[in-house]
């Protein structure tokens, strides 16, 4: 399996401002300290080896959309945030090269930041495409149709030409989707959200976003720990720092980096990927929280190491 992150922000898209880009350029020039480069490749090596991630790049601004490539002839995608537009364009290039036009979506929930990319999902206009939407909510079709009503969007749902299927899943049951075994779990969030475990050929990826786990209730999280147990990759909502999660943003439906590490330690997970970044956090802040999370993992580790990674738009991980 290969995981591709097309959108990693929470709540709303967060494009990088012009002044932020300029500051990255200034920082890079200061780090270069007047040295010259014989080629573009040499300059790229300098950037990769010398500059910190926020100086040379960005975590991105698109909302939640994650592709899990299964090696089959079908697409499997978690959520339809604004990152869906870039996935759609890329998938059309692949489909033109012979890839199947069957799209399977696993929906964590139906809040706007997780469905806002759908009106720009160009394969929906292709009569040869099949779009299968899965989730724990019964309102899957209603939510997608509603955001394309005339008052909200100029193109109504009924103009779409693809073949659509909407499938309500039950937590605890396993379903075969695109050749993989998929299981979901109910999560604490406004109007509920659902996490997914995707298993194939002895490997597993867990996608858990828009969920709130509180430090004072960690002893009651055994069902969730079982759901994560021995996963190769866990994509987890780390929208808040610990201080944010236990003070002004408590009960807002999201988790912290500390809770993510604690749960993954208990479940003996191999890799944790921080996800659903707070829109108020700039690249430097996300980078700092990532460093702090790595250090927290080292200080609290009692068993095998947990690799702590941080998602950005365009990031790819092989499983």
């Amino acid at each position: 399996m290969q995981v591709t992150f097309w959108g990693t922000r929470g709540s709303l898209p967060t494009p990088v401002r012009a002044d932020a880009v300029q500051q990255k350029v200034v920082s890079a020039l200061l780090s270069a300290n007047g040295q010259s480069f014989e080629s573009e490749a040499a300059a790229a090596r300098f950037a990769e080896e010398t500059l910190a991630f926020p100086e040379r790049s960005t975590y991105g601004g698109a909302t939640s959309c994650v592709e899990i490539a299964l090696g089959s002839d079908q697409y499997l995608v978690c959520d339809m945030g604004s990152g869906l537009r870039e996935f759609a364009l890329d998938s059309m290039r692949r489909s033109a090269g012979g890839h199947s036009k069957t799209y399977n979506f696993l929906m964590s929930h139906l809040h706007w930041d997780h469905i806002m990319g759908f009106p720009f999902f160009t394969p929906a206009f292709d009569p040869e495409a099949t779009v299968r939407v899965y989730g724990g909510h019964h309102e899957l079709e209603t939510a997608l149709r509603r955001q394309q009503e005339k008052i909200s969007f100029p193109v109504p749902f009924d103009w779409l030409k693809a073949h659509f299927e909407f499938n309500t899943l039950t937590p605890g049951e396993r379903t075969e989707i695109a050749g993989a075994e998929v299981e979901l779990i109910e999560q604490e969030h406004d109007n509920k959200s659902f996490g997914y475990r995707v298993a194939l050929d002895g490997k597993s990826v867990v996608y858990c976003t828009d969920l709130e786990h509180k430090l004072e209730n960690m002893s009651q999280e055994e069902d969730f720990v079982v759901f994560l147990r021995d996963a190769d990759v866990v994509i987890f909502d780390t929208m808040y720092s610990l201080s944010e999660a236990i003070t002004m943003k408590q009960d807002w439906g999201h988790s912290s980096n500390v809770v993510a590490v604690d749960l993954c330690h208990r479940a003996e997970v191999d890799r944790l990927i921080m996800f659903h970044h707070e829109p108020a956090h700039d690249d430097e802040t996300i980078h700092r929280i990532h460093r702090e999370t790595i250090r927290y993992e080292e200080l609290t580790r009692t068993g095998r190491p947990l690799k702590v990674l941080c998602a950005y738009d365009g990031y790819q991980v092989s499983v």
Side-chain angles (χ1 to χ4, degrees):
M1 290 187 283
Q2 179 167 279
V3 180
T4 301
F5 292 84
W6 296 98
T8 59
R9 286 280 178 174
S11 298
L12 78 166
T14 313
V16 180
R17 289 165 39 117
D19 58 346
V21 175
Q22 179 174 305
Q23 184 56 53
K24 291 175 185 292
V25 174
V26 170
S27 296
L29 290 172
L30 290 173
S31 296
N33 196 27
Q35 63 180 298
S36 59
F37 305 99
E38 60 185 17
S39 65
E40 183 176 330
R45 283 196 302 272
F46 167 81
E48 182 71 26
E49 297 170 2
T50 306
L51 302 181
F53 185 86
E55 289 181 302
R56 69 176 189 269
S57 192
T58 178
Y59 288 95
T63 62
S64 303
C65 184
V66 179
E67 178 187 3
I68 304 175
L70 303 170
S72 71
D73 63 346
Q74 299 184 24
Y75 297 102
L76 183 66
V77 181
C78 299
D79 281 333
M80 301 178 174
S82 63
L84 181 63
R85 178 180 177 275
E86 288 296 324
F87 163 74
L89 296 175
D90 188 78
S91 73
M92 290 180 68
R93 287 191 288 269
R94 283 182 272 169
S95 294
H99 195 290
S100 164
K101 296 181 179 181
T102 299
Y103 298 83
N104 300 278
F105 289 96
L106 305 179
M107 302 302 300
S108 65
H109 64 311
L110 303 172
H111 285 166
W112 188 43
D113 55 321
H114 290 255
I115 64 172
M116 67 194 313
F118 180 73
F120 302 93
F121 180 58
T122 44
F125 294 89
D126 184 349
E128 297 180 354
T130 296
V131 180
R132 299 185 180 123
V133 185
Y134 299 86
H137 296 87
H138 294 281
E139 306 90 347
L140 296 169
E141 183 173 1
T142 300
L144 296 186
R145 284 183 172 275
R146 185 176 58 189
Q147 75 170 340
Q148 290 191 227
E149 291 177 356
K150 189 172 183 179
I151 195 171
S152 301
F153 197 75
V155 181
F157 188 94
D158 287 336
W159 286 13
L160 305 180
K161 302 300 183 182
H163 171 69
F164 283 88
E165 300 174 12
F166 295 91
N167 306 276
T168 304
L169 303 178
T170 302
E173 295 183 359
R174 297 177 180 177
T175 305
E176 189 275 324
I177 300 175
E181 184 178 82
V182 177
E183 183 179 356
L184 72 163
I185 189 170
E186 185 176 321
Q187 303 175 143
E188 183 65 29
H189 193 69
D190 183 52
N191 199 39
K192 297 187 294 189
S193 71
F194 295 89
Y196 292 88
R197 185 179 180 114
V198 179
L200 179 69
D201 297 333
K203 300 289 186 178
S204 56
V205 174
V206 177
Y207 177 79
C208 288
T209 189
D210 292 70
L211 71 166
E212 184 164 12
H213 293 283
K214 299 180 180 178
L215 283 176
E216 62 267 28
N217 297 332
M218 292 295 281
S219 62
Q220 304 171 25
E221 298 286 2
E222 193 56 38
D223 287 347
F224 196 80
V225 171
V226 170
F227 189 76
L228 301 181
R229 177 70 64 193
D230 294 325
D232 294 281
V233 168
V234 170
I235 303 161
F236 198 95
D237 180 339
T238 55
M239 190 167 183
Y240 302 140
S241 65
L242 178 61
S243 61
E244 291 172 322
I246 64 176
T247 55
M248 58 183 175
K249 295 181 179 179
Q250 189 169 5
D251 299 319
W252 283 24
H254 299 281
S255 289
S256 72
N257 55 334
V258 167
V259 164
V261 169
D262 289 349
L263 287 170
C264 287
H265 269 163
R266 287 173 60 185
E268 298 185 290
V269 168
D270 183 42
R271 283 173 282 180
L272 163 66
I273 302 183
M274 301 171 65
F275 181 73
H276 205 269
H277 306 310
E278 161 66 57
H281 291 169
D282 59 17
D283 289 325
E284 288 74 18
T285 301
I286 296 173
H287 186 68
R288 173 179 55 79
I289 294 174
H290 181 205
R291 302 289 76 155
E292 292 173 353
T293 308
I294 291 173
R295 183 57 178 157
Y296 176 77
E297 188 281 326
E298 294 171 345
L299 292 172
T300 58
R301 182 191 306 158
T302 58
R304 69 179 186 182
L306 168 68
K307 302 179 187 72
V308 180
L309 309 170
C310 193
Y312 56 86
D313 295 2
Y315 186 42
Q316 290 188 319
V317 175
S318 296
V319 184

